[in-house]
Amino acid sequence: MKAARYYGIHDIRYEEIDKPVHGADEVLIRVAYSGICGSDLHIYNKGMFIINIPETMGHEFVGIVEAVGENVKGYKPGDCVTANPMVPCHECDSCHEESYNTCENLSFIGECRQGCFAEYIVMDEKTLIKIPVKLSADAGINSAAGAGDPDEFSALKPLALTEPLAVALNICKRAQFKPDERIAVIGAGPIGMLTCIAAKSLYGVKDITAVDLSEVRLELAEKVGADHTYQMLPDGLKFDKIVDAAGAPVTFNTALKHIRANGSVYVVSIFEKEFIFDINLIVSMQASVVGCNVYTETEMKEAAEAIALGRVDVSPLISRVFDLTECAEAFKLVASADKSVAKVLFKP
């Protein structure tokens, strides 16, 4: 089967590998679409997180069940599914408290085991999330077996963003956004824009500001929910709550500079290096700095339902779709200084 494999920094290769075999408690899934995540770029640029080399990358996907193990009771061939891609250690204090997103040794598929940048993936039944969509026979069982009209999968494309939308829902829940609050999202990448979408569509926030250096991304942010956009925030402009979805020293320091007294900064980004910030701004403004790490299983299910039932529209974020044979080109595009693309998907 086709696969996109990590061999080292800036070294992503298309390969043909063996189709995985499912066990008694597992499900074989034909991947319909999979998405390149910001954490995939940390692997691509810095070699962060990766455990095995080579490794089939990827953890965001939607697919169709092709076969199930003998112990699997809740799924059948033709079901549309995604999966919680987290691989917790089940040994640390967080895991004992079932706070798996704060696991001290948290990993993901695509880092410690085969990911979803492939035609097929095997997942344990316990990780699966059934998506409430109806598929035609061709799009379901027949296409899962390799037949049928491949265009039937196109309706599933937005559902490949279930996992990143779950990240945005985690931010919104931790922030407890209210309609009359003034919020800013620094970084109009996929997570930043999904936060704008969720805050506007699900939380009714009326005043959202998006901040990014890319004019193209700011234009897209306006289309999906931002009421105001800036490449640089004006001096003196303050917000009740700010989300740092960019992960750069300048963006975190900007957030501290523009948070109002008793406000909160929510940090969802992964920073690639240490940096200096003025902690006196936090003290003097009595501001809170809150970490937001991935999501819970509940938020994954809520994200799948929100997309499938039309409560949110994430489709404007999908910029390009590549075949897995074009994986090197896709990663170069997403990692480039050209920020004209938002979300890039593979269609295996």
Side-chain angles (χ1 to χ4, degrees):
M1 68 174 183
K2 299 178 182 178
R5 308 264 283 166
Y6 177 85
Y7 274 85
I9 293 174
H10 296 162
D11 187 2
I12 306 294
R13 306 179 195 177
Y14 163 71
E15 288 186 344
E16 291 282 345
I17 64 173
D18 292 338
K19 182 178 176 180
V21 177
H22 64 285
D25 300 312
E26 296 176 322
V27 172
L28 177 67
I29 302 162
R30 184 179 183 189
V31 179
Y33 291 95
S34 52
I36 297 179
C37 175
S39 61
D40 293 324
L41 290 184
H42 290 302
I43 296 172
Y44 179 74
N45 288 322
K46 297 289 184 178
M48 299 170 67
F49 314 129
I50 199 77
I51 294 176
N52 303 314
I53 297 177
E55 184 63 272
T56 302
M57 293 179 67
H59 60 267
E60 304 175 0
F61 76 95
V62 61
I64 306 296
V65 172
E66 178 169 298
V68 302
E70 59 187 22
N71 295 335
V72 173
K73 305 301 181 185
Y75 297 87
K76 64 183 184 303
D79 284 346
C80 181
V81 297
T82 185
N84 186 337
M86 293 192 294
V87 184
C89 70
H90 295 290
E91 296 179 356
C92 67
D93 289 343
S94 286
C95 285
H96 290 159
E97 296 170 0
E98 298 186 351
S99 178
Y100 298 117
N101 62 318
T102 58
C103 168
E104 296 173 12
N105 305 293
L106 183 62
S107 189
F108 288 78
I109 63 170
E111 298 170 1
C112 63
R113 48 152 291 188
Q114 185 210 306
C116 60
F117 293 168
E119 289 186 85
Y120 295 90
I121 188 170
V122 164
M123 298 294 296
D124 192 288
E125 179 185 17
K126 292 183 291 186
T127 69
L128 295 187
I129 295 168
K130 190 175 295 185
I131 296 177
V133 296
K134 291 183 178 180
L135 300 173
S136 69
D138 283 343
I141 298 172
N142 292 338
S143 281
D149 181 358
D151 289 338
E152 293 282 353
F153 276 142
S154 62
L156 303 183
K157 196 183 302 180
L159 289 158
L161 276 65
T162 295
E163 195 264 3
L165 178 62
V167 175
L169 293 185
N170 181 57
I171 296 167
C172 291
K173 285 188 178 182
R174 289 182 66 74
Q176 296 183 335
F177 288 138
K178 297 178 176 59
D180 58 349
E181 290 177 328
R182 176 183 287 181
I183 74 167
V185 177
I186 302 177
I191 296 300
M193 285 191 276
L194 286 166
T195 302
C196 291
I197 290 171
K200 179 71 70 173
S201 300
L202 302 178
Y203 286 79
V205 178
K206 300 174 183 176
D207 194 333
I208 303 174
T209 294
V211 184
D212 200 284
L213 294 177
S214 169
E215 292 184 0
V216 174
R217 286 192 169 184
L218 290 179
E219 290 176 2
L220 182 54
E222 286 184 338
K223 293 179 181 178
V224 299
D227 301 286
H228 318 282
T229 59
Y230 293 95
Q231 288 182 304
M232 183 176 296
L233 288 172
D235 289 341
L237 184 58
K238 301 284 186 177
F239 299 90
D240 300 303
K241 295 171 181 175
I242 299 178
V243 176
D244 181 355
V250 65
T251 60
F252 183 75
N253 283 305
T254 296
L256 295 185
K257 182 180 177 182
H258 289 274
I259 197 68
R260 68 162 177 80
N262 300 302
S264 297
V265 175
Y266 298 87
V267 184
V268 66
S269 311
I270 298 296
F271 291 78
E272 293 183 345
K273 58 184 178 181
E274 296 180 354
F275 64 96
I276 295 173
F277 62 91
D278 185 357
I279 198 168
N280 290 325
L281 289 173
I282 299 173
V283 175
S284 63
M285 299 300 288
Q286 199 165 275
S288 299
V289 177
V290 181
C292 303
N293 192 42
V294 290
Y295 41 77
T296 64
E297 181 179 353
T298 297
E299 287 155 355
M300 277 288 293
K301 292 178 179 178
E302 290 173 346
E305 288 186 1
I307 297 173
L309 301 180
R311 294 172 185 157
V312 297
D313 182 10
V314 301
S315 56
L317 302 189
I318 301 171
S319 303
R320 293 281 301 275
V321 179
F322 288 86
D323 189 84
L324 285 172
T325 58
E326 305 168 302
C327 58
E329 177 187 350
F331 267 88
K332 285 180 181 177
L333 175 61
V334 178
S336 71
D338 175 12
K339 300 301 181 184
S340 61
V341 297
K343 198 67 182 177
V344 169
L345 304 182
F346 290 117
K347 183 181 179 182

